[in-house]
Amino acid sequence: MSERVGDLAGIHSTEVAPRKESFQDMAGGTVVSDANTVPAYMEERPSDSGSLAPFDGDEPTDEEKATLRHVGDKLPWSTFLVAIVELCERFAFYGLSGPFQNYIQKPYVKGSTPGALGLGQSSATGLGDFFQFWCYVTPILGAVVADQFLGKYNTILYFSLIYITGLVILFTTALPVSIVGGHALGGLISSMILIGIGTGGIKSNVGPLIAEQYRGTKQTIKTIKSGERVIVDPAITIQRIYMIFYLCVNIGSLSAIATTELELHVGFWAAYLLPFLMFCVGFCVILGGKKFYIVRPPRGSVIAHAFKAMWIALLNKGKMDVAKPSYQDEYGRKYTTPWNDHFIDELKRGLVACKVFIFFPIYWVVYTQMLNNFISQAGQMELHGIPNDIMQNIDPLTIVIFIPIMDRLIYPLLRKWGIPFKPITRITMGFFVGSLAMAYAAIVQHLIYQRGPCYEAPLACDAAGPHGAIPNSIHVAVQTPAYLFIGLSEIFASITGLEYAYTKAPPSMKSFVMAIFLLTNAGGSALGIALSPTAKDPKLLWMYTGLGIASFIAGISFWFTFKRYNATEEEMNELERHGDRAVPADMIDATGKNDVESHGTSHKTSLSNNQVQMAAVFGKDERA
């Protein structure tokens, strides 16, 4: 698939002598510590320095790759700081979106199920899908701003201010006086737009930022405390980083438990105040932790260059190699190519990821049922005193429980037994498990229609009482497995999608390719909007059935279309080691420029010793 890189020169590296001890870090990575004055999060993998055993620090041979156990590396502390920021942002996002269905669907009636706007289920589902769609279209804007102008850190910072503005509007217009005064709908739409823009700037950049904190790019031999020789594998380390990242996402999403309880017992204003306060905590972490983060400076017109290269390929029957400067030099320079050959190799790898993402909208439309129609389905069942929108929290609880099990038990066992569970296989499994979730939801809907008092018209017959207060006689706990299946499918499909978006993207386009992956979520929301007219009784049974069949067919099609990429996984990942180097975040100014590069050599004397040392380690690669 991707070609080997040749003729790369002058790549800076820093070799360190290893200390003779080994341990496990808190994320489960097996490491041998290196004694160096440079902070751990800045270290490059050692190469041919001193060793604990023969060949320690060397790259493994093909035989060793096939026989030695692969383990994850130590994670820098800045990884966990970024994870906390994501936890706080997701706490805010899911905390505010959890009550949306009731807020939009039901009217403001004291003593009944909480509500505000009274627009009905179809409108609530449609607006909810619009919000999801908007939140996953705007990452394209955030990615362009980050990769070309401001860099990831500054983009997250500035877009967070827009997010905060949206939260303030949502809170103030959810006050009872605003709802009664008719300001709630305008405030909701305004806050959705602003929060969506803020989400776009954060989501497209926080995912790549957390993985950039780890600087390892090649497999190396290590001897652990037990004497076993293992391979420290960057791919497994990145996989673990995104497992931790997604774990924090879902811990944050448990905020819906608190906000739905506040919605029921206090009011929507309290339910929206809590996300605002938690987001402010995350904003303080991103501000206070600046000196610990490692980032890649923006590279100007890199996205424009990528589109120009693809246009050249399109004019030449899809041959990307035509856009290489070496090709132009050999066959007559027909096009201006202000990049090097390696950029084209990276771009080809990034396009592989973008092709893999084509099937994801079908998965996301399955996933979004949990955020809207599952909530309404719970409202048709006997709740026994709990809010109907609290059931959705079974999904993040499933993920919080099963991520450590998969990371520390299942995946290591599979590797030990020599069973490769590579990205394409994991994503395929996600589609199949998502299909199971929809099949089970269809069964639950059938059971609801089988019970009285309203049968196929839940809450809508005379027997339901005033305001549809009496549901059909089936316990809401019957819904539980549907959420469990959705959670398991996310571990396979969503986490692996994030991992694939990062590892296959060119270093200078990490945010943009991540945004393309997030855009597939918007595609799922668009499909959900198209399906929203069917989100009414008695059509819901067939909607769930159709989605289950679609997800199953998509999984089969995905596997047979992309399974060949499993065979080239390691080869594609090899390109990562030759990308642009990262620098400390506090060496990037507010406009996205590198302080050292923009102010020249004389400016270096005004930097702290730590900054100069970090600049030396993470200085930009020079190429011949």
Side-chain angles (χ1 to χ4, degrees):
M1 192 27 242
S2 297
E3 300 176 4
R4 290 285 183 182
V5 180
D7 295 327
L8 289 167
I11 297 177
H12 299 302
S13 63
T14 300
E15 297 185 358
V16 294
R19 184 185 300 151
K20 298 187 179 181
E21 60 178 335
S22 63
F23 56 91
Q24 282 196 322
D25 75 314
M26 66 179 291
T30 305
V31 299
V32 176
S33 63
D34 294 328
N36 196 348
T37 57
V38 180
Y41 57 84
M42 294 166 35
E43 295 169 2
E44 296 291 318
R45 302 309 314 159
S47 173
D48 298 325
S49 302
S51 59
L52 298 178
F55 309 112
D56 264 25
D58 282 355
E59 294 188 53
T61 63
D62 290 340
E63 180 181 357
E64 287 170 328
K65 287 179 181 179
T67 57
L68 296 183
R69 185 163 63 94
H70 291 237
V71 299
D73 202 352
K74 177 185 178 182
L75 301 185
W77 279 107
S78 55
T79 299
F80 299 100
L81 285 177
V82 179
I84 291 171
V85 172
E86 176 66 1
L87 188 155
C88 293
E89 189 277 328
R90 290 291 90 183
F91 185 102
F93 181 85
Y94 285 105
L96 66 90
S97 59
F100 269 174
Q101 190 77 1
N102 285 344
Y103 189 76
I104 301 167
Q105 177 179 344
K106 299 180 182 297
Y108 183 64
V109 179
K110 291 185 177 181
S112 182
T113 304
L117 300 179
L119 299 181
Q121 182 174 346
S122 291
S123 296
T125 300
L127 271 174
D129 283 332
F130 162 75
F131 182 60
Q132 292 293 317
F133 173 82
W134 178 239
C135 287
Y136 290 101
V137 166
T138 53
I140 295 292
L141 172 63
V144 172
V145 171
D147 284 342
Q148 291 202 197
F149 303 109
L150 297 180
K152 297 178 185 66
Y153 177 83
N154 286 333
T155 302
I156 291 172
L157 202 63
Y158 297 148
F159 277 71
S160 293
L161 297 174
I162 299 174
Y163 201 123
I164 289 172
T165 304
L167 288 170
V168 171
I169 292 173
L170 182 63
F171 161 67
T172 54
T173 57
L175 292 165
V177 64
S178 298
I179 295 174
V180 173
H183 306 300
L185 180 58
L188 176 68
I189 300 300
S190 300
S191 63
M192 279 183 166
I193 292 171
L194 290 174
I195 291 169
I197 293 172
T199 298
I202 296 170
K203 286 295 290 180
S204 58
N205 292 294
V206 73
L209 182 64
I210 191 171
E212 280 183 358
Q213 306 311 300
Y214 174 67
R215 303 307 307 142
T217 58
K218 65 180 180 179
Q219 296 180 353
T220 55
I221 300 291
K222 288 291 184 185
T223 303
I224 60 176
K225 192 173 183 179
S226 65
E228 179 188 7
R229 296 175 69 240
V230 297
I231 295 174
V232 176
D233 194 334
I236 292 175
T237 308
I238 296 297
Q239 179 182 332
R240 172 168 289 133
I241 286 173
Y242 279 111
M243 295 281 267
I244 293 170
F245 179 79
Y246 213 73
L247 181 68
C248 289
V249 166
N250 283 275
I251 292 173
S253 71
L254 290 172
S255 61
I257 296 175
T259 56
T260 51
E261 285 291 332
L262 286 170
E263 161 204 340
L264 178 64
H265 298 293
V266 182
F268 285 105
W269 65 270
Y272 296 141
L273 176 61
L274 182 61
F276 166 72
L277 296 175
M278 192 65 175
F279 189 89
C280 290
V281 172
F283 187 71
C284 292
V285 172
I286 196 74
L287 273 177
K290 181 176 181 178
K291 65 181 180 180
F292 299 108
Y293 302 129
I294 300 299
V295 298
R296 283 191 174 94
R299 287 303 174 202
S301 54
V302 61
I303 295 174
H305 287 170
F307 279 102
K308 181 178 180 179
M310 288 187 286
W311 178 250
I312 292 172
L314 188 63
L315 295 176
N316 291 272
K317 300 179 180 179
K319 297 177 181 178
M320 287 296 300
D321 285 346
V322 176
K324 288 184 175 181
S326 61
Y327 184 98
Q328 292 295 307
D329 291 339
E330 184 174 354
Y331 294 100
R333 183 160 288 280
K334 185 178 178 182
Y335 305 101
T336 302
T337 53
W339 50 74
N340 57 22
D341 286 4
H342 181 62
F343 176 77
I344 301 301
D345 288 326
E346 289 180 327
L347 184 59
K348 287 161 67 176
R349 181 183 63 169
L351 290 173
V352 167
C354 293
K355 287 191 292 184
V356 166
F357 299 155
I358 288 173
F359 285 89
F360 265 88
I362 297 173
Y363 171 77
W364 290 123
V365 75
V366 167
Y367 166 83
T368 54
Q369 300 310 302
M370 175 190 70
L371 303 176
N372 43 53
N373 286 319
F374 279 17
I375 295 172
S376 298
Q377 186 185 68
Q380 299 173 346
M381 307 168 77
E382 294 177 340
L383 297 172
H384 299 276
I386 66 172
N388 66 312
D389 44 10
I390 204 170
M391 291 294 292
Q392 63 185 304
N393 294 287
I394 295 171
D395 168 77
L397 284 171
T398 299
I399 293 171
V400 168
I401 291 169
F402 277 93
I403 277 181
I405 292 173
M406 300 300 294
D407 183 48
R408 302 301 297 273
L409 181 63
I410 304 299
Y411 288 160
L413 276 177
L414 290 174
R415 289 194 294 266
K416 185 175 182 179
W417 295 337
I419 301 173
F421 201 40
K422 294 187 176 181
I424 300 301
T425 309
R426 300 201 301 269
I427 294 171
T428 302
M429 185 66 68
F431 276 97
F432 290 155
V433 179
S435 178
L436 282 177
M438 291 300 98
Y440 186 82
I443 292 171
V444 172
Q445 197 65 49
H446 174 72
L447 293 175
I448 291 171
Y449 290 158
Q450 293 269 307
R451 304 292 181 89
C454 294
Y455 300 96
E456 291 190 350
L459 308 176
C461 67
D462 292 338
H467 308 299
I470 302 175
N472 286 9
S473 58
I474 178 172
H475 200 291
V476 71
V478 174
Q479 253 198 335
T480 301
Y483 289 104
L484 190 147
F485 285 135
I486 289 287
L488 290 175
S489 74
E490 288 181 72
I491 293 175
F492 293 125
S494 184
I495 295 177
T496 309
L498 291 168
E499 174 192 335
Y500 213 78
Y502 179 80
T503 58
K504 303 304 176 289
S508 54
M509 294 179 65
K510 295 291 188 186
S511 293
F512 189 75
V513 175
M514 184 66 72
I516 295 296
F517 173 66
L518 296 172
L519 187 63
T520 65
N521 204 312
S525 296
L527 289 175
I529 293 170
L531 285 171
S532 61
T534 66
K536 59 180 64 176
D537 301 306
K539 298 178 182 178
L540 286 164
L541 172 62
W542 299 109
M543 185 195 72
Y544 290 132
T545 302
L547 287 175
I549 293 171
S551 182
F552 184 78
I553 293 173
I556 293 174
S557 302
F558 179 87
W559 172 252
F560 284 105
T561 303
F562 299 119
K563 64 178 181 179
R564 67 185 186 277
Y565 291 144
N566 274 341
T568 58
E569 175 69 11
E570 286 79 12
E571 182 179 351
M572 287 190 287
N573 290 344
E574 280 290 305
L575 289 172
E576 185 69 18
R577 70 168 67 180
H578 303 297
D580 293 332
R581 297 297 181 96
V583 300
D586 58 358
M587 292 180 64
I588 304 297
D589 66 18
T591 64
K593 293 180 181 179
N594 188 326
D595 271 349
V596 173
E597 292 179 357
S598 60
H599 292 84
T601 305
S602 61
H603 181 68
K604 292 182 183 180
T605 58
S606 66
L607 298 175
S608 67
N609 291 334
N610 187 49
Q611 285 180 311
V612 173
Q613 185 182 55
M614 295 169 90
V617 175
F618 288 105
K620 186 175 66 176
D621 290 349
E622 302 293 337
R623 296 187 176 88

